[in-house]
Each structure stands twice: as C-alpha cells, then as structure tokens.
C-alpha cells in the first residue's frame, strides 16, 4: 500500500509539472503538443548533469544543479516551437509533432555518441546515474520520499498564484483569450507568448527529469517517455486548464499509472488474473474515457492554436 | 529579354513550383543540419557518413546487389507512402491523424493474426488489416464527432492501446524460442503477396510484390477521390467549416467519422503490403510504436500535401532512413537519419511563411518595375 502511494505521488508529480507546462503555454495561446519531446530533452539534460557531477557534492547542490540543467535544456528546446509558432506563424500541431520526433532522435544520437566516444563497443543509448540519484530521496521509514514531490507541489501552488493573482498571469491569459484586445491595451502579445512557451519548456523538461528518476537508476533513451507528454495533456484538459483541478486530475492518473508497477502487491488484483499488459494500457484507456466526458464543454483558451497576426481584425 | 523575365516570374508564382522549391529547400537544409551534427560528433568521418546516407543502396559496388537493396527500399517506401497518404487524407479534411502509427500497428496485427492463426489467403488478410485499422481510425473520428475529443490526443492514446493489444494478440502466434511471430514462408505461404515476376526485376528480391504497385495506384486513387469527386469535395468542405457544411445539408458527423476510417484504412493497407511480404516479423515485446506512421507525417508534408508529391517524398524519406544503416557504426549511429527527417518535418512548418515571403518579394519587384516604366514614359 505504501508503495502504491509512493508511486502514485511520484507519477502525479511528473504529470502535474508537465500539465502545468502545457497550461501556461495554452493560456498564452500556443498549443504545445511537443511536450513529449521537451520531456525527453529535459531528461537528457538532467541525466547528463547527474552523470558528470563530481561525487561528494552536498545533496542540496546536486538537486539544484540537476533541476537547473533540465529546466534550461527544456527551455532551449521549446524555443524551437516558440520561434516557429510565434515568429513564423507555423502550424502549431505540425511543429509540436516535429519536436516529439526530434527530441528522442536527438537524445539517442547524442547519448550514443557520448557512449561510443567512451568505449567503441558501447552502442547503447543508456545513461546511468545511480549515485547522484540518491540525493533526491529521503527515506522516512519504509516510505521513499522524493524531493521532487515537494517541488511539484510548490510549483503547483506557485502556478496558481502566478496565473490568477499577478499582473503577468492575467496578461498571459488575456493573450490566449483575445490577443487583439490584449494588444489594444498595450500588452506585447509576442513577448507573452514567448514567456508562455518558455515556461512550458522549463516545466516540461523538469517533468521529464522526474519521470526518468522515478524508480530506476539508469535510462535508455530509445524508449523516450512512453506517451507521458500526451497523458499530461489529457490531465490538463481534464483539469480544464486550471491549476488546482490539474493537481487533482494528476493524482487520479498517477494512481492508475502506479497500479501497473505495483499491482502484484495486491492479492485482490492478482486474484483477478488479468494480463499485465492490461495494466499497462490502463492509463491510456482511462484518459480516453475521461476525455469523452469532459471535452464536450471544454474551457480551452479561445485563441489557442491561432497564430497572432497584428493586422487581423 | 523582357519576355524571359516574365516567363521566369510566372514559374516562380506558380503554387506547384513554389511547393516543390520549398520541399527541396527543406531537404537541403535538413541534410545540412544532419551534416553539421555529424561534424560535431566526429569531424573525421562526417563527409563519408552523409554520403553513405544519401547513397543508400548505391553503397554496393555490384549492380545486382544494389538492385536488390533498391527493391527492399521500395517495399519499405510503399508502406511509408500508405502512411503518408493516411496523414494527408485526414489533413485535407482538417484532421491531424497522428494515429497513423497506431492504425498501422492494428493493421499489422490483424494481417498477421489472420494469416498465421487462421491460415487465410493474402487478400483476406489484407482486407482484415484494412478493416481493423479503419475501425481504429473510426474510433478517433467518432470521439471527435460526438464528444469533441481532440483527435490528436485520442489518436496518441489509441496508438498505445493498439500497440499493447496487438502485442497480446500476436503472442499467440509467436515462435517458441524467440519474441518474434512465426515466419509467413514457413507457416502459411498463401498469405504472401503475389510477386507477378516483379521480384525478377530486382535480382530475385522476393519481397518486391504487387504491394509496391498497389501503393502507387492508391496514391492516384486518393488524388482522384479528393479532387475529382463530389464525395471528396464534401469531405473537404466539412473540414474547412463544419457549421457551413451542416447548413448545406451535409452530414458533418458522418463525414468526420468516414474520413478517419478511410485514413485508418490507408494506414492499415500500408501495414498489409509490408508485413504480408514476409520482409519482417513482428516483435511481440515491442515497447514503442513503429516509426512508420510518424515518418508518414514527414512524407506527407514534404510532398507538399499532394498525393503524387508524397510518392516522391515517401521514397526520399525511406531512402535516407535506409541509408542511415550504412554509416560507420564505430563513430555514428543509425538514428542520425531519424534526426534528419525530424528536422525536415520541423522545417516544413516554415513552408507557408516561405511562400508568403516569396510572393511578397515578387510583388515588391513588380511594383518597382511598374514605377520604373511609368517614370520612363514620363521622361
């Protein structure tokens, strides 16, 4: 049971972070389908940082540096979306899809190049980071507390405050609802949209890092992040683009994802004799069902997906 | 002299020419970026590696071997062509079918199950693959039509669900000792697509079958349906404006679902003509969706969203993907071609901007010329 809670919380943290990323981007008016690719790149940044950090640093410094690396890489990668979608008015779905393909491909090429440079026979795309990972974890009895759970929660609160209680957040939302109106009162729509995309890149990158450090101590980048970026988008829609609801939705989805890891620990579930593949499918099936119920009266930002053109009326 | 200039401008303004120009630019820039990445990884062999990717089967000195691998590339390209047609068909109707990958998986699962477990002949297997894939696509369409579920997200979810289901289904027909499905040649020869002598043309490459020709024919059919029939017109009208289509008496919900079904069927057909040649066996422990469907997106956009254009772009994408296997593996990895094709898709996002920019440039030049002529007349 404790294990289930632990996994639920860590997967929920991933989903919260990435879904909040999507939330910021969409509130500014840019659909970010590329979160999956951004997660992979952020994870890569964090993993490489962990790999090359000198041993013996205090845990706090490790956590800070690794988070910084993944956030930065995620932001830089999300700029690809920003430039194409905001500056060049590209089709946001197309560019997002390109990012999803670009992220894993670039990560595999890079990691393999690093591995092959270390020894010619090593053609795997795996990065091991067992040592550094220990800094993230605090054992409370049998419960493995991960600092990222706290980080995710803190960011959730911060996102709520930023979006609803600050000038910046309200302006950001205005750009996603009616950019022309926002522009007419002196808000720079382009700048706001860049801000939205960059924030989503940072949060997405951090989410990717948390995902690969959840449970395992090495990551094979060929696997990408198994559709978690899209699950996060489903969480975001289920949460109706509102931080608090996103937090609750993430807990629900995290629970179903965690079940596939730990269902063998529950006698009642084992007795059902369902194939393990079914548990793997569960999060995706649930999200489809959930989407059916919530998509009808969607509260999506009105102007999302439409490139902003100053001359348009 | 003046006339020549006008002719040149007419060509430059032609939208077909602009599309081709834009696609070529995407390819060149994509390859260039690939070259730079290779240079960064290891400057020593970068030139050789990029040449290997572009050459692909020409890597073999003997023409017979080259012909044989040309055949293999063609078989893979025909499957890719079907996936890109699937993406294209949906996109023309305003839907982004990122689920082509999953529909391809479902099609492959149905084909292989019908051939290996039920012992059906190839045409039955092919139809089964198309039907099941159409069903998978239809689910996304119905969810969009009746519940307003974003088709991109539902497609991604169905990709994963489809993959796990197919893995479960095909575990029943896998070889005892390996994670691969039984081979078609040993289990059910009647399920192999007929070759009609085509394999002779490619140095007895038994995988080259009528599938290649069927795929090209499908591209032509898709073009005719979309551009020359009332049905295609209705679908496109629905995609442009659902409300207007409804107002005109079109059944917009039916059209949406039908589009996704056709789109899925096309992807399933691609899986059929690939797996029913026996070129590859399905690995039942796959943890990621095959890249074919995602590359289909690249091919569709690179081909300028024109069915005939996709024939060439699909071949090109497959050509460099296959070419990636010939790079020096002590320095680079084969995924470098995935990186290049991903960059090409990314660059395709700029095509619209490029065309607007080009037209504006031409307009400006026209204006200048016109004002110059006027001045000349006054003087």
């Amino acid at each position: 049971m404790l294990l289930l809670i632990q996994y639920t919380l860590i997967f929920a943290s991933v989903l919260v972070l990435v879904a909040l990323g999507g939330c910021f981007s969409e509130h500014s008016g840019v659909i970010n389908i590329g979160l999956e690719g951004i997660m992979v790149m952020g994870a890569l940044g964090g993993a490489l940082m962990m790999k090359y950090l000198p041993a013996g640093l205090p845990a706090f410094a490790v956590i800070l540096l690794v988070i910084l690396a993944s956030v930065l890489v995620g932001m830089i990668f999300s700029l690809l979306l920003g430039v194409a979608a905001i500056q060049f008015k590209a089709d946001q779905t197309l560019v997002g899809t390109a990012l999803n393909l670009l992220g894993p491909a670039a990560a595999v090429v890079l990691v393999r190049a690093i591995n092959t440079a270390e020894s010619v026979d090593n053609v795997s795309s795996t990065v091991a980071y067992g040592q550094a990972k220990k800094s993230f974890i605090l054992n409370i009895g049998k419960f493995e507390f991960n600092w990222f759970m706290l980080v995710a929660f803190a960011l959730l609160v911060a996102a709520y405050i930023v979006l609803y209680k600050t000038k910046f957040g309200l302006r950001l939302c205005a750009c996603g609802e009616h950019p022309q109106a926002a522009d007419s009162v002196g808000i720079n729509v382009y700048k706001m949209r860049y801000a939205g995309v960059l924030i989503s890149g940072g949060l997405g990158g951090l989410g990717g890092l948390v995902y690969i450090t959840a449970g395992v101590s090495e990551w094979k980048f060929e696997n990408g992040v198994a559709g978690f970026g899209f699950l996060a988008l489903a969480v975001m829609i289920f949460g109706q683009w509102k931080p608090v609801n996103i937090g609750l939705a993430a807990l629900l989805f995290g629970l179903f994802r965690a079940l596939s890891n730990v269902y063998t620990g529950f006698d009642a579930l084992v007795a059902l004799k369902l194939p393990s593949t079914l548990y793997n499918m569960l999060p995706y099936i649930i999200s489809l069902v959930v989407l059916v119920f919530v998509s009808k009266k969607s509260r999506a930002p009105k102007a999302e997906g439409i490139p902003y053109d100053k001359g348009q009326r | 002299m003046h006339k020549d200039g006008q002719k040149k401008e007419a060509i430059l303004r032609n939208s077909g020419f602009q599309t081709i120009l834009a696609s070529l630019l995407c390819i060149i820039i994509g390859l260039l970026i690939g070259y730079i990445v290779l240079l960064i990884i290891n400057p020593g062999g970068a030139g050789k590696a990029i040449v290997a990717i572009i050459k692909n089967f020409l890597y073999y000195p003997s023409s017979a071997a080259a012909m044989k691998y040309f055949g293999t590339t063609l078989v893979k390209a025909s499957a890719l062509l079907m996936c890109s047609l699937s993406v294209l068909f949906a996109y023309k109707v305003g839907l982004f079918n990122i689920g082509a990958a999953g529909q391809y998986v479902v099609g492959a699962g149905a084909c292989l199950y019908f051939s290996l477990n039920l012992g059906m002949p190839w045409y039955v297997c092919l139809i089964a693959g198309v039907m099941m894939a159409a069903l998978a696509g239809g689910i996304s369409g119905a969810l969009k039509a009746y519940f307003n579920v974003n088709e991109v997200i539902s497609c991604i979810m169905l990709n994963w669900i489809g993959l796990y289901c197919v893995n479960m289904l095909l575990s029943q027909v896998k070889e005892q000792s390996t994670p691969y499905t039984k081979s078609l040649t040993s289990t059910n020869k009647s399920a192999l697509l007929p070759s009609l002598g085509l394999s002779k043309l490619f140095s007895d490459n038994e995988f080259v079958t009528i599938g290649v020709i069927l795929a090209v024919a499908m591209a032509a059919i898709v073009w005719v349906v979309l551009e020359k029939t009332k049905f295609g017109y209705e679908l496109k009208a629905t995609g442009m404006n659902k409300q207007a289509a409804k107002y005109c008496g079109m059944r917009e919900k039916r059209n949406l679902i039908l589009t996704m079904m056709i789109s899925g069927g096309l992807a399933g057909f691609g899986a059929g003509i690939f797996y029913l040649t026996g070129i590859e066996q399905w690995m039942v422990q796959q943890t990621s969706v095959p890249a074919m469907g995602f590359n289909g997106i690249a091919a569709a956009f690179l081909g300028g969203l024109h069915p005939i254009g996709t024939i060439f772009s699909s071949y090109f994408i497959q050509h460099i993907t296959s070419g990636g296997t010939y790079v020096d593996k002590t320095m680079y990895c084969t995924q470098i071609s995935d990186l290049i094709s991903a960059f090409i898709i990314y660059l395709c996002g700029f095509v619209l901007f490029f065309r607007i920019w080009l037209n504006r440039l031409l307009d400006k030049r026209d204006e200048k010329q016109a004002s110059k002529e006027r001045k000349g007349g006054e003087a």
Side-chain angles (χ1 to χ4, degrees):
Chain A
M1 196 62 205
L2 213 53
L3 207 59
L4 181 67
I5 295 174
Q6 180 192 318
Y7 273 103
T8 303
L9 282 179
I10 194 74
F11 284 128
S13 309
V14 178
L15 289 171
V16 160
L17 288 170
V18 183
L20 282 179
C23 176
F24 270 97
S25 170
E26 300 216 349
H27 271 305
S28 79
V30 181
I31 296 181
N32 192 350
I33 290 245
L35 278 168
E36 178 107 353
I38 293 173
M39 277 177 82
V40 174
M41 288 309 274
L44 177 73
L48 290 180
M49 189 56 138
M50 283 190 271
K51 185 177 156 137
Y52 289 119
L53 270 184
L57 274 179
F60 180 70
V62 173
I63 296 175
L64 205 67
L65 281 172
V66 173
I67 287 181
L68 210 64
S70 58
V71 167
L72 264 181
V73 174
M75 278 186 165
I76 293 169
F77 192 63
S78 71
L79 262 187
L80 284 177
L81 170 71
V83 170
I86 301 166
Q87 214 86 45
F88 290 96
K89 303 183 172 55
D91 183 326
Q92 295 170 4
T93 315
L94 175 65
V95 177
T97 308
L99 290 199
N100 286 336
L101 300 178
L102 206 54
V108 170
V109 167
L110 198 68
V111 171
R112 278 200 168 178
I114 291 170
N115 280 347
T116 323
E118 274 173 5
S119 84
V120 176
D121 301 323
N122 187 356
V123 290
S124 74
S125 58
T126 309
V127 180
Y129 40 78
Q131 271 307 313
K133 200 201 133 192
K134 287 194 185 115
S135 332
F136 306 143
I137 289 165
L138 197 67
N139 283 312
I140 307 173
K142 270 190 177 165
F143 183 76
E144 261 188 18
F145 176 75
N146 192 319
W147 283 112
F148 287 131
M149 295 173 192
L150 192 68
V151 170
F153 184 72
L155 283 173
L156 181 66
V157 175
Y160 176 80
I161 295 171
V162 168
L163 267 183
Y164 294 127
K165 308 284 175 201
T166 66
K167 209 160 73 181
F168 168 76
L170 292 170
R171 286 183 171 179
L172 190 84
C173 292
C175 292
E177 296 293 338
H178 201 314
Q180 280 81 5
D183 201 355
S184 74
V185 291
I187 300 170
N188 187 335
V189 178
Y190 295 113
K191 241 187 216 163
M192 280 295 164
R193 290 200 164 175
Y194 267 117
V197 170
L198 280 177
I199 294 173
S200 88
L203 288 173
L206 183 58
L209 170 71
V210 180
Y211 180 71
I212 63 160
T213 50
V216 288
S217 57
E218 59 170 30
W219 192 258
K220 197 172 159 213
F221 276 91
E222 254 166 338
N223 289 344
V225 290
F228 245 70
F230 290 98
L231 277 181
L233 284 179
V235 166
M236 179 191 74
I237 295 172
F238 187 32
Q240 293 289 309
W241 290 264
K242 291 176 191 146
V244 178
N245 298 15
I246 286 177
L248 296 175
L251 274 179
L252 178 75
F253 276 66
L255 174 70
F256 284 109
R257 177 63 182 75
L259 263 183
S260 73
N261 278 45
V262 296
Y263 77 96
T264 43
F266 293 88
D267 293 335
L269 289 178
V270 175
L272 285 175
K273 287 221 171 90
L274 294 170
S276 68
T277 325
L278 200 69
Y279 289 98
N280 287 332
M281 277 195 272
L282 212 53
Y284 308 107
I285 296 175
I286 299 290
S287 68
L288 262 190
V289 173
V290 160
L291 285 174
V292 164
F293 285 108
V294 299
S295 293
K296 198 90 196 192
K297 44 177 200 292
S298 143
R299 299 244 167 82
K302 289 220 170 54
E304 68 168 15
I306 307 162
Y308 177 57
D309 184 354
K310 263 190 178 200
Q312 206 177 39
R313 295 288 146 229
Chain B
M1 179 69 202
H2 194 69
K3 231 177 190 174
D4 267 9
Q6 261 179 352
K7 211 190 238 169
K8 209 169 104 193
E9 200 169 305
I11 295 174
L12 271 178
R13 279 205 187 268
N14 181 301
S15 88
F17 177 80
Q18 284 182 355
T19 309
I20 295 174
L21 190 69
S23 296
L24 285 178
L25 263 178
C26 288
I27 290 175
I28 291 169
I29 300 174
L31 285 173
L32 206 67
I33 292 173
Y35 180 62
I36 294 170
V37 171
L38 287 172
L39 272 181
I40 294 170
I41 294 175
N42 190 336
K48 233 166 138 189
I50 198 88
V51 169
I53 291 172
I54 297 170
K55 267 175 123 177
N56 184 12
F57 55 84
L58 294 172
Y59 166 87
Y60 295 99
S62 99
S63 68
M67 224 31 207
K68 186 159 186 174
Y69 284 93
F70 178 47
T72 308
T73 308
L74 274 183
V75 173
K76 290 182 180 164
S78 58
L80 181 59
L81 171 59
M82 293 312 302
C83 286
S84 74
L85 285 176
S86 159
V87 175
L88 175 143
F89 194 89
Y91 196 83
K92 286 272 181 187
V93 190
L95 295 166
F96 198 86
N97 183 17
I98 202 171
Q103 291 141 15
Y104 177 82
V105 167
V106 170
C111 279
L112 289 175
Y113 188 78
F114 267 71
S115 61
L116 294 174
N117 205 17
L118 307 177
M120 294 291 177
W122 63 271
Y123 44 89
V124 177
C125 301
L126 194 57
I127 292 169
V130 170
M131 297 300 266
M132 289 311 289
L135 198 68
I139 294 176
S140 297
L143 289 178
K144 170 94 179 175
Y146 289 104
F147 301 103
N148 193 28
V149 177
N150 183 322
E151 80 277 9
V152 175
I153 296 178
S154 73
C155 276
I156 293 283
M157 300 301 153
L158 283 171
N159 281 353
W160 289 98
I161 296 171
L163 177 74
Y164 286 122
C165 283
V166 166
N167 276 348
M168 229 175 352
L169 181 74
L170 291 185
S171 300
Q172 297 175 25
V173 289
K174 82 179 190 66
E175 284 170 343
Q176 285 288 323
S177 51
T178 67
Y180 290 93
T181 52
K182 291 179 212 160
S183 84
L184 280 175
T185 358
S186 63
T187 318
N188 180 6
K189 266 207 153 96
S190 68
L192 288 170
L193 288 170
S195 155
L196 294 183
L198 278 173
S199 59
K200 291 255 163 34
L201 285 175
F202 295 94
S203 324
D204 282 327
N205 184 338
E206 75 268 30
F207 305 126
V208 184
T209 60
I210 54 167
V212 177
I213 294 172
L214 285 178
V216 175
M218 275 294 176
I221 293 172
V222 165
W223 181 74
V224 170
V225 168
L226 276 175
E227 305 296 332
K228 304 285 169 202
T229 65
K230 183 177 152 229
F231 175 65
Y233 186 82
E234 249 192 49
L235 291 189
K236 283 198 290 189
T238 313
M240 292 222 186
N241 191 335
K242 218 163 67 174
Q243 271 77 25
K246 192 176 176 186
Y247 176 74
C248 293
M250 300 173 188
R251 279 184 285 173
E252 90 287 2
K253 288 200 166 101
R254 187 203 68 156
N255 284 354
L256 269 182
I257 298 170
L258 222 54
T259 303
M260 283 309 282
M261 284 186 78
I262 294 173
S263 184
L266 287 168
F269 191 84
I273 59 172
F274 185 68
Y275 283 96
L276 291 178
T277 59
I279 192 168
E280 217 170 81
Q281 290 149 280
W282 184 269
M283 213 270 272
V284 298
Q285 285 162 1
Q286 261 178 53
T287 51
S288 59
V289 185
M292 199 61 97
F294 298 118
N295 280 340
I297 301 171
F301 281 93
L302 188 62
L305 291 169
H306 192 289
I308 309 303
T310 50
I311 298 178
F312 298 100
S313 60
S314 305
Y315 178 75
F316 173 77
I317 298 273
Q318 187 55 49
H319 185 89
I320 59 165
T321 307
S322 299
T325 51
Y326 295 115
V327 296
D328 184 351
K329 287 192 198 63
T330 57
M331 286 188 248
Y332 311 110
C333 64
T334 53
Q335 273 86 355
I336 188 79
S337 351
D338 295 346
L339 189 70
I340 294 176
S341 53
F343 260 116
I344 291 177
I345 311 186
Y346 178 69
L347 292 168
C348 284
F350 293 86
V351 166
L352 183 72
F353 182 83
F354 169 75
R355 289 173 67 161
I356 293 172
W357 174 80
L358 187 67
N359 282 331
R360 207 175 284 163
L361 198 78
L362 290 174
D363 285 346
K364 244 186 211 162
R365 224 178 51 181
D366 275 1
E367 246 169 60
K368 243 187 207 163
Q369 201 143 28
S371 70
K372 216 193 238 166
E373 267 165 30
R374 226 176 300 136
K375 261 186 201 158
E378 276 164 18

